[in-house]
Amino acid sequence: MSLSFALLLAGLAVVLALGSSGVALFAGREPRVLRAAAMPLLGLAGVAATLAGLFALLGDGSASTTLPLGLPWMPWHLRVDALSGFFLLVIGLVTCAVGLYGPSYVRGFESGRDSLIALGGFTGLFLAGMLLVVLADDAFLFMVAWELMSLSSYFLVAFQHENAANRRAAFLYLLMAHIGGLAILLGFGVLAAFGHGFDFDAMRAAELSPLWASLAFALAFLGFGMKAGLVPLHAWLPEAHPVAPSHISALMSGVMLKVAVYGFIRVVYDLVGQVQWQWGVVLLAVGSVSALMGVLFALMQTDLKRLLAYSSVENLGIIFIALGLGLLFQGTDHPTLAALAFVAALYHVINHALFKGLLFLGAGAIQHSAHERDLEQMGGLLRRMPWTGYFFLVGCVSISALPPFNGFVSEWLTFQAALQAWQLESGVLRSLIPIASAVLALTGALVAATFVKVYGVAFLGQARSRHVRRARPVPHGMRAGLGLLAALCLLFGVLPTQIIALIDPVAELMVGSGVPQAGAQGWLWLTPIAPETASYSAPFSVLLLALIAGFAIWWFRRGTVRRIRRCDPWDCGFAPPDPHMQYTATSFAQPIRRVFALLFEIEESRPPFEDAAPRYRLRIGDRAWGLIYQPVARAVESASRRVVRLQSGNVRVYLGWTLATLLVLLWIIS
């Protein structure tokens, strides 16, 4: 009963998302309708998706239905199980926050030339596409929903299309999205050929040889990995996410990338089913490179939204490290350890959705109030936007994996799974996993440095520009969206045993085993392996932090009972400090940039100026462009020039090519 109700609620979420799109499209140029109707409908769709996900996770089995849509011989099949329920929950939570945040944020676009009709209409279609991807139970509906999600998000990336950089980013995103979609379609083709059908039940029954199973895995990994932004397929992500409106960036980074993770899990764990440990090695290698390169590029950035986009590359790398551990343990007949790694991956999926959504919405609040994205122009925002600063700090602490917030739990679970490598029989695998663990530990340290830089430069110190000095607190709706995600970051960090109990049915469905021992010592203690192996108590961490904070407040206030005269300290006669004397974002990252210089394309110069002060110039490029993308682009351009020569304008040449083509086709047929 609960799963049927979950399917009904999920369908209601899709209808509300389409209703939000329809209201925006038929509202004309009246901006109040977008704020008063379209965005609230989007928030209600998020509430419905959240409830559907909870009912699906608390239920047992699955519920499915068939809609008389699509093709006459291929109707649409919808299905809800524990896996789709979990990702419905992920989509719903972030969408609820966007529904609260959006009305106040889009007010800033009302005075511009950009089309609010397009913004509201394509946002609803984008959400509907993501929901349908999660609900699809056949390859035809899956690909239709996937293309709906990709095309609608393309128009959202190109929302402010007057800027040439935005058009370039949107085109790159669309191009790579369709290349990834083609790989996914070919993967479904392999499964459908052996299963003799396009519905997922037929694909599950397909008997694949190890070679064909590996081919299906490779195609799925290529297609979904490209959408997830894994290195070296990440080029579109730091270009597209920064140029979209900030609430769309939160949906793209916090939710759309997780829909790609859902697709990968659905195909590899559910449809292919014949897991091989070699696949885990591939995921470990690619995930480790993505995590390390993502955080290094994030640390080098001064554009706040571009920094957050590269950080998503790093976090998706962590998720695929955990998935790689799960495949490796499952392929070597360690189901309990595979379930632990799988739960760690899903825990980080929802954690990243929450804190990355919070950080992108916080970046949007800064841009809305201070009209600035460049860290070098910020400073002192905590004094001008205190609530935004506090909520943004929660996001920074969460993404840095510090207790008692949620990021710590999922990364700690990933380490606990990796520490069980001694149970593997292969010495090579026992050596490989510690290397990936060391990369993950280095990544964690660099993430902490990155967000110390972000928060210190943006919110502390003195304002570096006029826009920032004039910043004011954001409206209450935007604060409510930020506050909801900040509260969830704390809740998911303080109650890990309850969250794992929600995720456990997904692990049992996909891996065949759960982690019931995680809460065996009660809700206060998290024991993923056994109490004598490792344990963690988040509530005690909160209590300890509260005691330390209370003691610190008492210590500093006990000496201020008497009236104290405050004045500037003696400065040895030097001039008072100004904003130009502060540490900049570029200088903060300079030592690490020197250490990892070989990984970047760095152009650093200080050209001499005779009539003006010298200016320091720094450009940091991605080597993937020169090694992968530019050679492909040059090859395509060269092929295009050769093809153009065929268009000579001579009818006899055209007839000759037509005759040659006809002869080749006749030879092939014969």
XYZ file of all heavy atoms in Angstrom, residues 163-234:
535
model
N 25.533 37.109 -23.340
C 26.961 36.942 -23.086
C 27.493 35.791 -23.940
O 26.968 34.669 -23.895
C 27.178 36.657 -21.588
C 28.633 36.745 -21.198
O 29.522 36.487 -22.009
N 28.888 37.112 -19.963
N 28.535 36.053 -24.711
C 29.099 35.026 -25.600
C 29.638 33.834 -24.809
O 29.539 32.685 -25.263
C 30.210 35.633 -26.455
N 30.196 34.082 -23.618
C 30.718 32.984 -22.800
C 29.589 32.053 -22.368
O 29.778 30.826 -22.294
C 31.454 33.539 -21.583
N 28.412 32.604 -22.087
C 27.273 31.770 -21.711
C 26.827 30.890 -22.874
O 26.493 29.718 -22.686
C 26.115 32.653 -21.246
C 26.431 33.381 -19.950
O 27.594 33.534 -19.586
N 25.411 33.837 -19.251
N 26.810 31.452 -24.079
C 26.416 30.656 -25.248
C 27.426 29.540 -25.497
O 27.045 28.407 -25.832
C 26.294 31.554 -26.478
C 25.197 32.606 -26.377
C 24.893 33.220 -27.737
N 26.046 33.881 -28.326
C 26.356 35.163 -28.129
N 25.588 35.906 -27.338
N 27.405 35.704 -28.720
N 28.701 29.850 -25.333
C 29.734 28.826 -25.531
C 29.593 27.710 -24.497
O 29.684 26.521 -24.837
C 31.108 29.477 -25.420
C 32.282 28.509 -25.482
C 33.598 29.261 -25.371
N 34.732 28.351 -25.296
C 35.184 27.819 -24.169
N 34.595 28.120 -23.023
N 36.233 26.992 -24.184
N 29.363 28.083 -23.231
C 29.208 27.078 -22.180
C 27.981 26.206 -22.429
O 28.024 24.981 -22.241
C 29.101 27.769 -20.816
N 26.882 26.828 -22.879
C 25.663 26.068 -23.142
C 25.865 25.096 -24.297
O 25.400 23.944 -24.249
C 24.509 27.027 -23.434
N 26.554 25.531 -25.361
C 26.793 24.643 -26.499
C 27.677 23.469 -26.093
O 27.420 22.315 -26.472
C 27.442 25.419 -27.641
C 27.825 24.550 -28.803
C 26.865 24.069 -29.671
C 29.153 24.199 -29.014
C 27.215 23.249 -30.732
C 29.510 23.384 -30.069
C 28.529 22.909 -30.935
N 28.731 23.734 -25.310
C 29.603 22.659 -24.851
C 28.826 21.659 -24.007
O 28.982 20.437 -24.148
C 30.771 23.244 -24.057
C 31.753 22.243 -23.447
C 32.459 21.452 -24.540
C 32.773 22.964 -22.568
N 27.964 22.179 -23.140
C 27.158 21.305 -22.290
C 26.228 20.437 -23.132
O 26.113 19.221 -22.917
C 26.349 22.152 -21.308
C 25.251 21.395 -20.605
C 25.547 20.324 -19.770
C 23.913 21.742 -20.771
C 24.549 19.620 -19.130
C 22.911 21.046 -20.132
C 23.229 19.985 -19.322
O 22.238 19.287 -18.689
N 25.558 21.045 -24.110
C 24.634 20.288 -24.952
C 25.370 19.227 -25.767
O 24.895 18.087 -25.907
C 23.889 21.250 -25.880
C 22.796 20.633 -26.751
C 21.655 20.132 -25.892
C 22.282 21.651 -27.760
N 26.539 19.592 -26.308
C 27.310 18.646 -27.106
C 27.709 17.425 -26.282
O 27.482 16.273 -26.693
C 28.556 19.348 -27.663
C 29.524 18.473 -28.458
C 28.858 17.945 -29.718
C 30.787 19.255 -28.801
N 28.266 17.646 -25.092
C 28.719 16.526 -24.276
C 27.548 15.743 -23.701
O 27.642 14.523 -23.493
C 29.654 17.036 -23.181
C 30.905 17.699 -23.725
S 32.194 17.973 -22.502
C 32.743 16.318 -22.154
N 26.428 16.427 -23.439
C 25.245 15.718 -22.965
C 24.742 14.737 -24.013
O 24.331 13.609 -23.681
C 24.152 16.720 -22.601
N 24.790 15.121 -25.289
C 24.298 14.231 -26.324
C 25.302 13.114 -26.626
O 24.891 11.995 -26.981
C 23.983 15.028 -27.590
C 22.644 15.694 -27.519
N 22.449 16.895 -26.874
C 21.425 15.315 -27.977
C 21.171 17.230 -26.963
N 20.535 16.294 -27.615
N 26.580 13.385 -26.490
C 27.558 12.290 -26.626
C 27.336 11.260 -25.520
O 27.321 10.044 -25.768
C 28.989 12.846 -26.584
C 29.255 13.728 -27.813
C 30.004 11.707 -26.527
C 30.589 14.441 -27.774
N 27.144 11.747 -24.286
C 26.854 10.833 -23.188
C 25.542 10.098 -23.392
O 25.434 8.894 -23.111
N 24.525 10.796 -23.894
C 23.249 10.142 -24.163
C 23.363 9.049 -25.214
O 22.706 7.999 -25.117
N 24.204 9.266 -26.229
C 24.423 8.243 -27.247
C 25.073 7.000 -26.638
O 24.698 5.857 -26.963
C 25.296 8.810 -28.365
C 25.638 7.850 -29.509
C 24.377 7.383 -30.213
C 26.587 8.524 -30.498
N 26.038 7.190 -25.734
C 26.678 6.047 -25.074
C 25.663 5.274 -24.224
O 25.660 4.031 -24.216
C 27.842 6.531 -24.208
N 24.788 5.989 -23.519
C 23.760 5.325 -22.712
C 22.811 4.536 -23.603
O 22.437 3.393 -23.294
C 22.992 6.371 -21.883
C 23.925 7.037 -20.873
C 21.811 5.734 -21.160
C 23.332 8.268 -20.217
N 22.424 5.132 -24.735
C 21.525 4.448 -25.666
C 22.162 3.168 -26.206
O 21.496 2.123 -26.315
C 21.163 5.394 -26.810
C 20.143 4.893 -27.830
C 18.812 4.620 -27.161
C 19.965 5.912 -28.957
N 23.452 3.220 -26.519
C 24.141 2.016 -26.996
C 24.216 0.957 -25.892
O 24.096 -0.249 -26.163
C 25.542 2.379 -27.487
C 25.607 3.220 -28.767
C 27.040 3.635 -29.060
C 25.013 2.463 -29.944
N 24.414 1.405 -24.646
C 24.409 0.451 -23.534
C 23.067 -0.239 -23.383
O 22.992 -1.469 -23.174
N 21.982 0.530 -23.479
C 20.655 -0.079 -23.457
C 20.469 -1.022 -24.648
O 19.786 -2.055 -24.536
C 19.578 0.999 -23.474
C 19.333 1.642 -22.137
C 19.165 3.013 -22.035
C 19.259 0.875 -20.989
C 18.934 3.608 -20.803
C 19.036 1.460 -19.749
C 18.871 2.829 -19.655
N 21.068 -0.662 -25.787
C 20.959 -1.522 -26.958
C 21.579 -2.888 -26.722
O 21.033 -3.914 -27.154
N 22.722 -2.936 -26.044
C 23.352 -4.217 -25.723
C 22.437 -5.056 -24.846
O 22.213 -6.261 -25.088
C 24.714 -3.975 -25.036
C 25.287 -5.289 -24.510
C 25.694 -3.317 -25.995
N 21.867 -4.433 -23.810
C 20.996 -5.170 -22.892
C 19.709 -5.611 -23.584
O 19.216 -6.719 -23.357
C 20.668 -4.298 -21.681
C 21.857 -3.923 -20.789
C 21.441 -2.917 -19.729
C 22.427 -5.165 -20.124
N 19.141 -4.730 -24.438
C 17.898 -5.076 -25.126
C 18.105 -6.200 -26.138
O 17.208 -7.024 -26.357
C 17.326 -3.839 -25.812
N 19.283 -6.237 -26.764
C 19.545 -7.289 -27.751
C 19.542 -8.670 -27.107
O 19.039 -9.640 -27.689
C 20.880 -7.023 -28.443
N 20.086 -8.782 -25.903
C 20.119 -10.073 -25.225
C 18.846 -10.333 -24.425
O 18.508 -11.483 -24.166
C 21.340 -10.148 -24.298
C 22.632 -10.310 -25.026
C 23.376 -9.206 -25.414
C 23.115 -11.566 -25.344
C 24.578 -9.349 -26.090
C 24.315 -11.725 -26.019
C 25.051 -10.610 -26.402
N 18.145 -9.262 -24.014
C 16.912 -9.439 -23.255
C 15.670 -9.462 -24.115
O 14.575 -9.739 -23.609
N 15.812 -9.144 -25.410
C 14.700 -9.172 -26.369
C 13.553 -8.277 -25.921
O 12.383 -8.641 -26.014
C 14.196 -10.604 -26.576
C 15.268 -11.575 -26.941
N 15.909 -11.553 -28.174
C 15.861 -12.572 -26.223
C 16.823 -12.524 -28.205
N 16.818 -13.156 -27.038
N 13.892 -7.089 -25.440
C 12.864 -6.138 -25.040
C 13.496 -4.897 -24.464
O 14.643 -4.922 -23.979
N 12.736 -3.781 -24.501
C 13.260 -2.510 -24.011
C 12.810 -2.191 -22.589
O 13.257 -1.194 -22.026
C 12.833 -1.368 -24.950
C 13.564 -1.378 -26.261
C 13.007 -1.983 -27.377
C 14.822 -0.804 -26.375
C 13.679 -2.003 -28.585
C 15.505 -0.825 -27.580
C 14.934 -1.431 -28.690
N 11.906 -2.990 -22.024
C 11.542 -2.742 -20.635
C 12.603 -3.354 -19.727
O 13.294 -4.311 -20.093
C 10.159 -3.315 -20.328
C 10.088 -4.812 -20.578
O 10.085 -5.215 -21.768
O 10.085 -5.576 -19.599
N 12.721 -2.788 -18.534
C 13.820 -3.181 -17.650
C 13.696 -4.618 -17.157
O 14.709 -5.265 -16.865
C 13.888 -2.220 -16.464
C 14.460 -0.866 -16.829
C 14.426 0.191 -15.923
C 15.027 -0.640 -18.065
C 14.955 1.431 -16.248
C 15.550 0.594 -18.414
C 15.513 1.633 -17.500
N 12.471 -5.156 -17.035
C 12.332 -6.552 -16.620
C 12.973 -7.487 -17.636
O 13.624 -8.473 -17.264
C 10.848 -6.892 -16.447
C 10.260 -6.292 -15.180
O 11.041 -6.067 -14.231
O 9.046 -6.042 -15.138
N 12.799 -7.185 -18.922
C 13.425 -8.016 -19.953
C 14.947 -7.898 -19.900
O 15.668 -8.889 -20.079
C 12.907 -7.613 -21.330
N 15.449 -6.693 -19.640
C 16.898 -6.510 -19.569
C 17.486 -7.227 -18.359
O 18.610 -7.752 -18.427
C 17.227 -5.016 -19.504
C 16.884 -4.265 -20.781
S 17.349 -2.518 -20.691
C 16.783 -1.931 -22.290
N 16.741 -7.262 -17.253
C 17.249 -7.981 -16.075
C 17.388 -9.473 -16.361
O 18.260 -10.141 -15.779
C 16.307 -7.773 -14.889
C 16.293 -6.368 -14.324
C 15.453 -6.281 -13.062
N 15.332 -4.900 -12.629
C 14.305 -4.104 -12.913
N 13.292 -4.568 -13.632
N 14.285 -2.863 -12.490
N 16.511 -9.992 -17.202
C 16.548 -11.421 -17.504
C 17.581 -11.784 -18.557
O 17.769 -12.971 -18.853
C 15.161 -11.877 -17.962
N 18.263 -10.800 -19.144
C 19.234 -11.082 -20.198
C 20.444 -11.823 -19.627
O 20.922 -11.517 -18.537
C 19.675 -9.779 -20.860
N 20.921 -12.809 -20.380
C 22.116 -13.560 -20.002
C 23.284 -13.054 -20.839
O 23.362 -13.317 -22.043
C 21.889 -15.056 -20.218
C 20.801 -15.638 -19.325
C 20.653 -17.138 -19.513
O 21.428 -17.691 -20.332
O 19.788 -17.734 -18.862
N 24.184 -12.333 -20.199
C 25.314 -11.711 -20.890
C 26.593 -12.470 -20.597
O 26.831 -12.900 -19.462
C 25.471 -10.250 -20.446
C 24.282 -9.308 -20.683
C 24.579 -7.948 -20.077
C 23.994 -9.167 -22.157
N 27.426 -12.595 -21.607
C 28.769 -13.116 -21.379
C 29.597 -12.043 -20.679
O 29.237 -10.860 -20.696
C 29.413 -13.489 -22.711
O 29.614 -12.324 -23.507
N 30.704 -12.415 -20.029
C 31.532 -11.388 -19.372
C 31.971 -10.268 -20.306
O 32.048 -9.108 -19.893
C 32.727 -12.195 -18.853
C 32.189 -13.565 -18.654
C 31.190 -13.770 -19.750
N 32.218 -10.600 -21.583
C 32.640 -9.577 -22.533
C 31.520 -8.579 -22.793
O 31.734 -7.361 -22.755
C 33.087 -10.233 -23.841
C 33.493 -9.262 -24.965
C 34.682 -8.424 -24.525
C 33.808 -10.039 -26.247
N 30.297 -9.070 -23.062
C 29.181 -8.162 -23.338
C 28.764 -7.404 -22.087
O 28.360 -6.239 -22.165
C 27.999 -8.945 -23.912
C 28.185 -9.332 -25.343
C 28.446 -10.577 -25.839
C 28.148 -8.450 -26.470
N 28.578 -10.537 -27.203
C 28.388 -9.240 -27.623
C 27.940 -7.086 -26.625
C 28.422 -8.697 -28.902
C 27.975 -6.547 -27.912
C 28.211 -7.342 -29.025
N 28.861 -8.043 -20.928
C 28.558 -7.336 -19.682
C 29.548 -6.201 -19.456
O 29.166 -5.089 -19.037
C 28.578 -8.308 -18.506
N 30.824 -6.439 -19.748
C 31.830 -5.390 -19.593
C 31.607 -4.264 -20.590
O 31.830 -3.085 -20.274
C 33.236 -5.973 -19.764
O 33.506 -6.928 -18.759
N 31.148 -4.616 -21.807
C 30.853 -3.573 -22.796
C 29.683 -2.706 -22.328
O 29.732 -1.475 -22.451
C 30.543 -4.213 -24.148
C 30.174 -3.240 -25.278
C 31.320 -2.280 -25.557
C 29.795 -4.008 -26.543
N 28.637 -3.345 -21.800
C 27.506 -2.575 -21.271
C 27.948 -1.686 -20.111
O 27.525 -0.522 -20.003
C 26.393 -3.520 -20.825
N 28.820 -2.213 -19.243
C 29.346 -1.399 -18.139
C 30.146 -0.217 -18.668
O 29.996 0.915 -18.183
C 30.228 -2.260 -17.239
C 31.140 -1.479 -16.345
C 30.668 -0.907 -15.178
C 32.477 -1.282 -16.686
C 31.508 -0.156 -14.357
C 33.320 -0.543 -15.879
C 32.833 0.021 -14.705
N 30.991 -0.447 -19.670
C 31.832 0.632 -20.201
C 30.979 1.730 -20.819
O 31.242 2.928 -20.621
C 32.811 0.066 -21.225
N 29.950 1.354 -21.576
C 29.087 2.355 -22.191
C 28.314 3.138 -21.129
O 28.165 4.363 -21.235
C 28.128 1.673 -23.163
C 28.765 1.119 -24.439
C 27.775 0.242 -25.199
C 29.259 2.258 -25.330
N 27.813 2.441 -20.103
C 27.099 3.130 -19.025
C 28.035 4.058 -18.264
O 27.664 5.193 -17.924
C 26.475 2.103 -18.082
N 29.247 3.595 -18.003
C 30.205 4.423 -17.273
C 30.582 5.659 -18.077
O 30.708 6.761 -17.530
C 31.441 3.590 -16.946
C 32.441 4.301 -16.082
C 32.049 4.988 -14.947
C 33.794 4.292 -16.406
C 32.974 5.645 -14.147
C 34.721 4.945 -15.618
C 34.303 5.622 -14.483
N 30.737 5.501 -19.396
C 31.056 6.645 -20.247
C 29.896 7.645 -20.268
O 30.099 8.847 -20.087
C 31.374 6.164 -21.658
C 31.610 7.256 -22.714
C 32.823 8.100 -22.354
C 31.768 6.644 -24.095
N 28.686 7.159 -20.487
C 27.537 8.057 -20.604
C 27.188 8.746 -19.300
O 27.062 9.982 -19.242
N 27.043 7.972 -18.242
C 26.667 8.563 -16.959
C 27.843 9.292 -16.320
O 27.654 10.288 -15.612
C 26.131 7.482 -16.022
C 24.838 6.869 -16.487
C 24.774 5.535 -16.848
C 23.686 7.638 -16.584
C 23.592 4.965 -17.283
C 22.491 7.078 -17.022
C 22.441 5.741 -17.369
N 29.068 8.806 -16.551
C 30.232 9.512 -16.030
C 30.418 10.870 -16.657
O 30.869 11.822 -16.011
N 30.058 10.998 -17.942
C 30.137 12.301 -18.602
C 29.135 13.271 -18.002
O 29.444 14.438 -17.753
C 29.899 12.135 -20.098
C 30.120 13.395 -20.909
S 30.088 13.094 -22.686
C 31.594 12.142 -22.908
N 27.920 12.808 -17.719
C 26.923 13.677 -17.085
C 27.305 13.998 -15.639
O 27.017 15.090 -15.142
C 25.554 13.003 -17.142
C 24.439 13.790 -16.491
C 24.151 15.075 -17.236
C 23.335 14.829 -18.476
N 22.887 16.080 -19.125
N 27.971 13.055 -14.964
C 28.392 13.291 -13.579
C 29.609 14.201 -13.489
O 29.918 14.708 -12.407
C 28.691 11.952 -12.893
N 30.329 14.400 -14.584
C 31.475 15.302 -14.571
C 32.752 14.676 -14.065
O 33.591 15.364 -13.470
N 32.943 13.388 -14.296
C 34.178 12.743 -13.864
C 35.324 13.132 -14.793
O 35.136 13.312 -15.997
C 34.004 11.222 -13.867
C 32.975 10.649 -12.891
C 32.871 9.150 -13.068
C 33.336 10.986 -11.450
N 36.529 13.250 -14.236
C 37.732 13.550 -15.017
C 38.062 12.333 -15.886
O 38.021 11.190 -15.406
C 38.901 13.872 -14.069
C 40.195 14.039 -14.836
C 38.588 15.134 -13.266
N 38.338 12.495 -17.176
C 38.569 13.739 -17.925
C 37.351 14.225 -18.708
O 37.506 14.976 -19.660
C 39.696 13.337 -18.873
C 39.380 11.905 -19.214
C 38.768 11.312 -17.971
N 36.147 13.767 -18.335
C 34.924 14.141 -19.045
C 34.221 15.307 -18.369
O 33.025 15.505 -18.547
C 33.980 12.926 -19.104
C 34.592 11.632 -19.648
C 33.614 10.479 -19.515
C 35.005 11.814 -21.097
N 34.962 16.095 -17.629
C 34.377 17.129 -16.769
C 34.371 18.514 -17.406
O 33.917 19.472 -16.765
C 35.221 17.223 -15.498
C 36.616 17.733 -15.746
N 37.553 16.993 -16.420
C 37.214 18.912 -15.444
C 38.672 17.690 -16.514
N 38.500 18.855 -15.946
